[in-house]
Amino acid sequence: MNKLYVGNLSPLVTVEDLKQLFGEKKLPGAEQVLLKSGYAFVDFPDQNWAIKAIETLSGKVELHGKVLEVDYSVPKKLRSRKIQIRNIPPHLQWEVLDGLLAQYGTIENVEQVNTDTETVVVNVTYTTKEEAKVAVEKLTGHQFEGYSIRVSYILDMDAAPPLQAPRMRRGGRSSRDQDGPQPGPSGGFGGPRHKQHDFPLRMLVPTQFVGAIIGKEGLTIKNVTKQTQSKVDIHRKENAGAAEKPITIHSTPEGCSSACRMILEIMQKEASETKE
């Protein structure tokens, strides 16, 4: 998911030009640049840096007389039900956003991405590929309260084919060990990487506390993810009408424990203030 496509490159552009540009913009990952004719692939360490690169470079930076196009590198055959929506107004209510997204299909999950941008970024999973495609087409460039919405396909690990095991050579070393990084399905280096220390924790919370956990403009849940270095998914669309909603926390065991404790404290405070 953190592999980016850099397009509309001049034939004069070199790998060194791209490395210098990324360095000037204080963007990491420029050491892994695969340059082709008119485009390139660049790996980033995580989703936040990928988002920053897209927001900083795409349509805003000129190199050898041509304005760069930057987006996630997701081959057509891997485009599925999952998309990312950026540049959402920070003051937008979740109910309004849900209504906007629901115009294009049934939403399976919406998760806010913890970023340093002033605007909101969410990853959205629709029920079908067709619904996601319609959402991409209709929402791209959509003007909402003075903000131009930006949409991208993102890699859905559930839809991605399994990586082939590396071929072994004499001496027990794999071909990747001897030949260095190998191009992935989209021409970039390797495949999507997962932090080995990620530990998923799933908990159920009373539905009436979901709003307090998210907070106004998503600030409360954003604070939880930032302080605990965790990724928190609130599955509000699951169990429609049920008294409880599931929450999934992805982090180290310590991070999961801290995030869980903060969520319980938020619920306890809300219960105390509302006498529920």
Side-chain angles (χ1 to χ4, degrees):
M1 177 171 180
N2 307 318
K3 193 187 315 300
L4 296 187
Y5 164 87
V6 182
N8 199 37
L9 295 181
S10 164
L12 301 177
V13 171
T14 65
V15 170
E16 291 304 319
D17 289 334
L18 291 173
K19 288 182 178 181
Q20 181 178 347
L21 174 63
F22 278 61
E24 291 172 354
K25 299 298 181 181
K26 295 181 171 57
L27 296 169
E31 291 302 318
Q32 299 188 49
V33 178
L34 182 63
L35 181 63
K36 298 288 187 176
S37 178
Y39 63 95
F41 295 102
V42 184
D43 254 359
F44 280 85
D46 57 44
Q47 184 176 210
N48 285 350
W49 281 113
I51 292 172
K52 184 174 181 180
I54 294 172
E55 298 299 305
T56 302
L57 301 175
S58 189
K60 299 176 181 178
V61 174
E62 187 176 292
L63 196 57
H64 288 296
K66 303 189 74 172
V67 179
L68 301 185
E69 298 173 358
V70 184
D71 207 343
Y72 288 105
S73 172
V74 183
K76 288 186 177 180
K77 62 182 179 181
L78 294 184
R79 292 178 182 176
S80 59
R81 305 174 298 135
K82 199 164 185 177
I83 62 176
Q84 183 175 95
I85 304 175
R86 302 183 302 278
N87 207 39
I88 300 171
H91 54 273
L92 186 65
Q93 296 295 321
W94 279 95
E95 292 75 13
V96 178
L97 177 61
D98 281 343
L100 177 64
L101 300 178
Q103 295 180 26
Y104 310 109
T106 303
I107 303 167
E108 197 170 279
N109 187 42
V110 178
E111 60 182 86
Q112 182 172 349
V113 181
N114 182 28
T115 70
D116 294 328
T117 60
E118 295 182 358
T119 53
V120 176
V121 178
V122 296
N123 292 342
V124 182
T125 304
Y126 280 93
T127 303
T128 67
K129 292 182 180 181
E130 290 70 24
E131 291 172 336
K133 181 179 179 181
V134 172
V136 170
E137 293 173 350
K138 298 294 185 181
L139 284 173
T140 299
H142 179 78
Q143 295 293 322
F144 199 86
E145 298 186 5
Y147 291 77
S148 180
I149 303 299
R150 293 190 277 272
V151 189
S152 303
Y153 281 103
I154 54 178
L155 191 62
D156 183 357
M157 290 307 302
D158 294 333
L163 293 175
Q164 294 182 350
R167 297 188 303 275
M168 300 303 293
R169 294 184 177 180
R170 291 181 185 176
R173 296 180 64 197
S174 70
S175 58
R176 291 186 183 179
D177 291 334
Q178 297 198 14
D179 298 338
Q182 300 294 305
S186 58
F189 293 114
R193 295 187 296 262
H194 293 281
K195 296 179 181 178
Q196 294 184 356
H197 60 258
D198 274 2
F199 179 84
L201 172 69
R202 194 171 176 90
M203 61 188 293
L204 291 173
V205 301
T207 301
Q208 65 266 31
F209 292 123
V210 169
I213 294 170
I214 295 173
K216 186 177 180 181
E217 300 177 3
L219 291 179
T220 302
I221 194 63
K222 188 172 185 178
N223 182 52
V224 171
T225 60
K226 187 173 183 178
Q227 286 196 30
T228 63
Q229 295 296 303
S230 305
K231 175 183 175 185
V232 181
D233 297 338
I234 301 177
H235 308 285
R236 294 179 297 151
K237 296 299 180 179
E238 290 188 19
N239 304 335
E244 295 178 317
K245 294 292 184 182
I247 292 180
T248 305
I249 304 170
H250 298 271
S251 186
T252 61
E254 294 79 9
C256 286
S257 178
S258 298
C260 183
R261 184 168 55 251
M262 289 186 69
I263 290 172
L264 291 174
E265 290 173 353
I266 293 167
M267 290 194 295
Q268 185 177 27
K269 180 181 178 182
E270 179 70 7
S272 175
E273 292 178 351
T274 59
K275 298 186 179 351
E276 292 190 12

